[in-house]
């Protein structure tokens, strides 16, 4: 596919950047409505406790307090799954049990919501919160999945025998992994553990809710999936869907956390109770303890190889910690297995997972979903096998990576892959040949390592991958594009503008994005699974194509030539045969709207797009580290990410995604540790003074390589690139540490203590 | 007990009645509607609430408002001239240094405090000046590019 492109592939400036640079952009936390109250939530100090009594009388008597709600008040509403999957969305009829109330009579984790109130200002709300008296009956609790599965452990949810919230089989098993492992020349195996990483969105969770005079509920929400959130909220509050309107302002970061309901249910409950607008903004501490963060796993992995390095079998058992409610956690294992076991060509694949409920804050989706957890182990084991087979890490991977035409991780045809180029170009950039496998001496030792990965472009065929786009042409030749991705900072408005403008032959700046209101936008699954550019992009492309056909037909009539003869570019339609025959897009659109020949038409295009394809982005990550063998400190010196994400619609935006992924990957690899006290169930890391998210001084020298080869199925050849950027960072660092000091760390994050321990025992 | 105090924000005077315990970030956002100043961690660890006081970067989530009355307070809203962006804002926009944008106002003001003193900073100086501002989206790469580009543009403006 070779196509001359004039808008796609350009480093355009984002339509929303100036608003954000000037303080003009409005986020949910910034919204004020006349008469608006401030909400606050009372949270459990215990990991597991029954609420025996709540005395709200003192708080109610405080001047300025308008309402206090307790589990008794919220029992009238439906229980729900905060991950929005208790209603059908996943293929095969799988739904997540609705196990959570707006408020709950039994606290299932430290920070669980017990009561909430609304007051005329923040200070009164805070004061009132302290006046609510709660009598708790502390219950036995389980923090670790293993202990929660033991007989006699406290039962956390009725439906979860042995506290197993969900047993997940691998979706695409093949062959006989046991048998193949038995016959393999080389078997590498190990247990790898990963942590509960917090998203650290710059804006904390926030919602504003208002009931209008007709009884409609209007919610300003940060949800990445606004239409699914609308269905869920209508369901929870016993309202018809059309009575709920979701508005999506700018969102101050998400990375998967806002794929679930966050502050919305309690905020809405307070608005319904008071009849007044309510704003609820979580504190940073609440963001840590009340919301979903990355699912922590223990993965038992076994991989078999032939002598020549051919991968013959892979097997995994994943044990995941869900927390007090189901949320998005269960699918993290399903997705992890799909990406991990389906990454390399392998005829014998088996996997299963137990997702276990515990008395800890809830787990869910975070950039990469389960992929970083499983690749953390796989990519270390592949290196181990390479060493035992005396093959270098590049060669063993090049031998086993999938090629175009094979079956991709989601069971669909792999239309394109340029992972080989990623590996080769990344190796060149890091200086692999000169640096890898060299003898190291001295207290401070350097090493290089690599990891590869595959991800997805959307959720097909696992979820209903449904998007819509509508585009209407104005009489001046510009267009309004009606779509509803979540503007979490991924530059999606710009990318969709480029796709629409390229197809319509106009400029990216000619596209006005109309969005953020479920009253206006057609159904949109939303922004997750690295799907916005690929799936909403394809919907946008088809809608634009539909409109373009109308433009060309009208132009052909106006120029009195056949539409096939026409081309459209730079806001102009002209004949391929006789370039002098031309007319502007604006003239055609104006003539269509103000048409006095009885042929009025507002040129517009629409597409309801259900993605049946899924083009996996592939990438190679290279790290160069320095390990101080005396202190155990690991310093990442250089990171290179080489990514095949199809055609980059805007290379600057793609770089931004991959550079951001590096920061999150370094944090996941080295510093971010969500600590729960095993004796008390209390979360000890609930702000940036105790939880180390990498700052600017923690970043190494970085390089991003975009392969930029179009995929046959993506819009103008694009694939998804939102999530892949962090997946391979931690295992690349671990492999580099091995190259530097000859020890393997299998437990995240890689702290100096673990490095010293490993050196001591080695 | 509220106190009447005069604040000078973005070269304008405001006379406000405020409680002594009110933080600067609250006065700016809730009293003056200057919501470009962001609240994020509440403990002075992330820099999203950074404003300039007499040209120096200050964490408004840790600053009692009454302590800065009469001082020259600059928020992100005070940088652009109408729709003409300040060179640092322009560089952030052009270099793709803004993703979710929530840390951006604090980043830009920290950068301004640096560039107002030093129009020729090294990479290292830029990093140190921004080391109190956390960003979860960008990996900081394009932010550094933007500040260096802004330094060059401002330098040219100052010495054409």
């Amino acid at each position: 596919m070779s196509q001359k492109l004039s808008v796609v592939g350009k480093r355009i400036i984002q339509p929303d950047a100036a608003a954000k640079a000037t303080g003009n952009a409005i986020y949910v936390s910034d919204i004020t409505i006349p008469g608006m109250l401030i909400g606050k939530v009372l949270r459990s100090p215990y990991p597991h406790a029954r609420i025996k009594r709540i005395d709200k009388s003192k708080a109610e008597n405080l001047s300025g307090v308008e309402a206090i709600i307790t589990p008794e008040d919220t029992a009238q509403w439906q229980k729900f799954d905060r991950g929005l999957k208790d209603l059908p969305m996943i293929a095969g009829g799988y739904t997540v049990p609705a196990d959570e109330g707006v408020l709950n009579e039994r606290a299932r984790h430290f920070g669980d919501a017990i009561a909430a109130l609304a007051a005329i200002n923040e200070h009164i709300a805070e004061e009132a919160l302290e006046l609510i008296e709660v009598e708790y009956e502390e219950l036995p609790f389980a923090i670790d999945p293993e202990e929660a599965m033991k007989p006699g452990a406290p039962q956390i949810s009725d439906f979860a025998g042995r506290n197993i919230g969900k047993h997940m089989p691998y979706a695409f098993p093949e062959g006989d992994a046991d048998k193949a492992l038995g016959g393999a020349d080389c078997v590498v195996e190990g247990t790898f553990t990963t942590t509960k990483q917090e998203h650290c969105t710059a804006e904390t969770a926030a919602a504003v809710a208002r009931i209008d005079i007709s009884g409609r509920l209007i919610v300003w929400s940060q949800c990445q999936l606004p239409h699914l959130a609308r269905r869920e909220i209508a369901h929870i509050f016993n309202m018809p869907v059309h009575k709920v309107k979701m508005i999506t302002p700018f969102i101050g970061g998400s990375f998967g956390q806002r794929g679930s309901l966050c502050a919305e249910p309690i905020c809405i409950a307070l608005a319904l109770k008071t009849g007044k607008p309510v704003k609820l903004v979580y504190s940073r501490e609440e963001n840590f303890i009340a919301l979903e963060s990355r699912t922590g796993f223990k993965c038992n992995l076994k991989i078999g190889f032939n002598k020549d390095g051919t991968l013959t079998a892979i097997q995994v058992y994943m044990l995941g910690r869900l927390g007090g409610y189901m949320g998005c956690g269960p699918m993290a294992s399903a997705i992890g297995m799909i990406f991990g076991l389906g990454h390399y060509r392998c005829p014998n694949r088996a996997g299963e997972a137990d997702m276990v409920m515990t008395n800890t804050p809830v787990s869910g989706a975070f950039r990469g979903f389960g992929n970083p957890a499983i690749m953390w182990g796989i990519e270390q084991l592949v290196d181990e096998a390479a060493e035992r087979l005396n093959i270098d890490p590049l060669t063993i991977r090049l031998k086993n990576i999938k090629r175009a035409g094979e079956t991709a991780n989601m069971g669909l045809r792999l239309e394109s892959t340029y992972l080989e180029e990623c590996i080769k170009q990344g190796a060149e950039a890091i200086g692999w040949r000169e640096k890898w496998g060299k003898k190291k001496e001295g207290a401070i030792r350097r090493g290089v390592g690599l990891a590869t990965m595959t991800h997805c472009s959307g959720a097909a065929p696992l979820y209903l991958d449904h998007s819509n786009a509508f585009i209407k042409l104005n009489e001046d030749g510009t267009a309004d594009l009606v779509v509803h991705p979540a503007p979490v900072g991924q530059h999606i408005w710009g990318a969709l503008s480029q796709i629409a403008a390229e197809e319509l032959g106009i400029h990216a700046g000619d596209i006005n994005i109309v969005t953020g209101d479920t009253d206006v936008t057609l159904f949109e699954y939303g922004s997750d699974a690295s799907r916005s550019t690929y799936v909403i992009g394809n919907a946008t492309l088809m809608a634009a194509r539909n409109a373009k056909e109308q433009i060309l037909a009208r132009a052909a009539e106006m120029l009195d030539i056949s539409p096939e003869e026409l081309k459209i570019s730079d806001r102009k339609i002209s004949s391929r045969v006789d370039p002098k025959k031309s007319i502007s897009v604006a003239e055609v659109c104006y003539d269509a709207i103000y048409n006095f020949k009885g042929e009025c038409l507002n040129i517009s295009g629409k597409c309801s797009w259900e993605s049946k394809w899924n083009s996996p982005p592939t990438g190679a990550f290279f790290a160069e580290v320095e390990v101080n063998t005396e202190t155990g400190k690991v310093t990442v010196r250089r990171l290179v990410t080489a990514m095949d994400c199809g055609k980059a619609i805007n290379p600057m935006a793609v770089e931004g995604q991959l550079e951001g992924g590096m920061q999150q990957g370094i944090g996941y690899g080295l510093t971010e540790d969500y600590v729960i006290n095993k004796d008390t169930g209390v979360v000890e890391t609930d702000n940036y003074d105790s939880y180390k998210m990498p700052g600017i001084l923690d970043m190494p020298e970085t390089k991003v390589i975009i392969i930029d080869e179009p995929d046959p199925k993506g819009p103008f050849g694009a694939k998804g690139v939102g999530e892949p950027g962090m997946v391979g960072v931690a295992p690349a660092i671990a492999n580099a540490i091995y190259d530097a000091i000859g020890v393997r760390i299998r437990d995240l994050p890689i702290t100096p203590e673990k490095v010293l321990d490993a050196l001591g025992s080695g | 007990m509220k106190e009447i105090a005069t604040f000078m924000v973005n070269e304008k005077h405001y006379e406000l009645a405020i409680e002594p315990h009110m933080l600067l970030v609250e006065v700016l956002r809730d009293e003056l509607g200057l919501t470009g100043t962001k609240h994020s961690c509440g403990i002075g660890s992330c820099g999203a609430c950074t404003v300039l006081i007499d040209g120096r970067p200050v964490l408004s989530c840790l600053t009692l408002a009454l302590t800065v009355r009469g001082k020259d307070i600059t928020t992100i809203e005070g940088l652009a001239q109408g729709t003409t962006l300040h060179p640092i804002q322009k560089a952030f926009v052009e270099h793709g240094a803004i993703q979710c944008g929530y840390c951006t106002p604090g980043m830009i003001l920290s950068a301004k405090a640096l560039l107002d003193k030093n129009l020729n900073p090294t990479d290292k100086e830029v990093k140190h000046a921004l080391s109190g501002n956390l960003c979860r989206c960008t990996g900081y790469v394009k932010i550094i590019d933007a500040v260096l580009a802004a330094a060059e543009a401002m330098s040219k403006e100052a010495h054409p």
Side-chain angles (χ1 to χ4, degrees), chain A residues 13 20-21 27 29-30 123 198-199 202 253 284 488-489 491 655-656 659-660 663-664 672 687 694-696, chain B residues 21 26 29 38 40-41 43 76 85 89 93-94 98-102 127 131 135-142:
Chain A
I13 287 171
K20 290 172 175 176
Y27 297 79
S29 318
D30 300 331
H123 292 283
E198 219 281 332
H199 299 68
R284 176 60 52 192
V488 293
H491 292 175
E655 288 159 11
E659 288 157 359
Q663 188 258 19
Q664 295 180 0
E672 294 185 37
N687 207 327
I696 200 165
Chain B
H21 58 74
E26 295 175 290
R29 288 178 58 85
K38 301 302 183 194
S40 181
C41 77
I43 59 166
I76 193 68
L85 301 184
Q89 292 172 317
V93 167
E94 287 174 354
I98 301 169
Q99 287 189 29
C100 91
Y102 208 77
K127 286 184 185 176
S131 62
C135 169
R136 191 54 148 174
C137 297
T138 63
Y140 307 100
V141 181
K142 300 205 182 310

Side-chain angles (χ1 to χ4, degrees), chain A residues 19-95:
Chain A
K20 290 172 175 176
T22 53
N24 182 251
I26 306 288
Y27 297 79
V28 178
S29 318
D30 300 331
I31 289 167
T32 303
I33 296 173
M36 186 177 84
L37 303 173
I38 299 297
K40 286 276 168 205
V41 182
L42 183 71
R43 300 189 176 279
S44 171
Y46 304 110
H48 201 192
R50 199 183 319 280
I51 314 303
K52 288 173 74 178
R53 190 182 59 89
I54 300 181
D55 182 356
K56 49 187 185 180
S57 55
K58 280 186 199 155
E60 270 173 341
N61 288 335
L62 189 69
S63 167
V65 174
E66 299 260 336
I68 301 175
I69 55 171
T70 64
E72 211 176 299
D73 300 297
T74 63
Q76 57 180 307
W77 296 311
Q78 302 303 312
K79 292 211 165 193
F80 61 98
D81 162 42
R82 62 168 73 186
L84 310 169
K85 305 296 187 303
D86 52 332
L87 304 174
M89 193 62 195
I90 302 173
Y94 169 57
T95 53

Side-chain angles (χ1 to χ4, degrees), chain A residues 490 574 710:
Chain A
Q490 77 284 51
S574 51

Side-chain angles (χ1 to χ4, degrees), chain A residues 26-341:
Chain A
I26 306 288
Y27 297 79
V28 178
S29 318
D30 300 331
I31 289 167
T32 303
I33 296 173
M36 186 177 84
L37 303 173
I38 299 297
K40 286 276 168 205
V41 182
L42 183 71
R43 300 189 176 279
S44 171
Y46 304 110
H48 201 192
R50 199 183 319 280
I51 314 303
K52 288 173 74 178
R53 190 182 59 89
I54 300 181
D55 182 356
K56 49 187 185 180
S57 55
K58 280 186 199 155
E60 270 173 341
N61 288 335
L62 189 69
S63 167
V65 174
E66 299 260 336
I68 301 175
I69 55 171
T70 64
E72 211 176 299
D73 300 297
T74 63
Q76 57 180 307
W77 296 311
Q78 302 303 312
K79 292 211 165 193
F80 61 98
D81 162 42
R82 62 168 73 186
L84 310 169
K85 305 296 187 303
D86 52 332
L87 304 174
M89 193 62 195
I90 302 173
Y94 169 57
T95 53
V96 175
D99 62 348
E100 186 170 1
V102 175
L103 298 169
N104 296 279
E105 288 169 344
R106 178 165 55 96
R108 296 181 184 192
H109 65 83
F110 172 75
D112 203 354
I114 303 305
L117 60 83
I120 55 168
N121 68 40
E122 181 113 19
H123 292 283
I124 293 172
E126 271 168 7
E127 199 183 332
L129 209 56
E130 289 179 15
L131 296 174
I132 300 175
E133 288 171 7
V134 185
E135 196 181 324
Y136 295 94
E137 178 194 345
E138 286 186 66
L139 300 171
F141 59 89
I143 300 297
D144 289 322
E146 271 126 338
E147 109 199 27
M149 288 164 81
K150 281 184 188 152
Q155 180 80 18
I156 295 164
S157 239
D158 299 341
F159 60 85
R162 291 173 61 220
N163 284 321
I164 298 175
K166 181 73 188 165
H167 177 81
M168 281 280 181
Y170 168 47
F172 302 104
E174 207 177 298
D176 185 336
D178 271 326
K179 198 173 152 203
L181 284 165
D185 296 328
C186 165
V187 175
V188 282
E189 60 187 303
T191 299
F192 295 84
T193 53
T194 67
T195 45
K196 186 170 172 59
Q197 185 185 27
E198 219 281 332
H199 299 68
C200 302
T201 56
E203 183 188 22
T204 57
V208 176
R210 165 177 184 256
I211 321 293
D212 77 10
I213 196 73
S214 71
R216 280 195 97 205
L217 169 63
I218 301 149
V219 187
W220 285 261
S221 158
Q222 304 162 320
C223 190
Q224 285 169 242
L225 316 170
H227 281 262
L228 294 189
R230 178 173 70 155
R231 176 178 68 159
E232 191 76 38
I233 286 166
H235 171 73
I236 297 169
F237 293 100
N238 307 316
M239 299 172 97
V241 169
H242 75 272
K243 286 277 190 188
V244 182
K245 169 189 172 98
M246 303 292 293
I247 298 176
T248 315
F250 287 110
I251 302 169
S254 176
F255 318 111
Q257 193 173 53
R258 304 287 180 271
S260 291
L261 291 180
C262 294
E264 293 91 344
I266 295 175
C267 182
I268 293 164
L270 289 168
L272 286 168
K273 176 87 177 179
T274 57
K276 293 183 179 174
V278 174
K279 173 153 125 181
L280 176 58
V281 181
Y282 283 3
S283 67
R284 176 60 52 192
E285 290 77 9
E286 286 179 293
N287 221 71
F288 268 82
I289 63 175
L291 306 178
E292 293 180 1
S293 44
R294 190 185 289 284
T295 313
F297 282 103
K298 185 167 164 181
C299 297
N300 297 329
L301 274 159
K302 248 184 197 182
I303 311 179
F305 291 84
N306 282 341
K307 264 193 207 92
D308 68 352
T310 306
L311 207 155
T312 57
I314 186 163
Q315 197 176 59
V316 73
Y317 172 70
M318 298 178 86
L319 182 64
R321 180 164 72 183
L322 289 177
Y325 300 98
M326 293 287 277
C328 285
M331 288 308 286
S333 65
I335 304 280
M337 287 188 283
I338 287 171
F339 294 150
L341 307 185

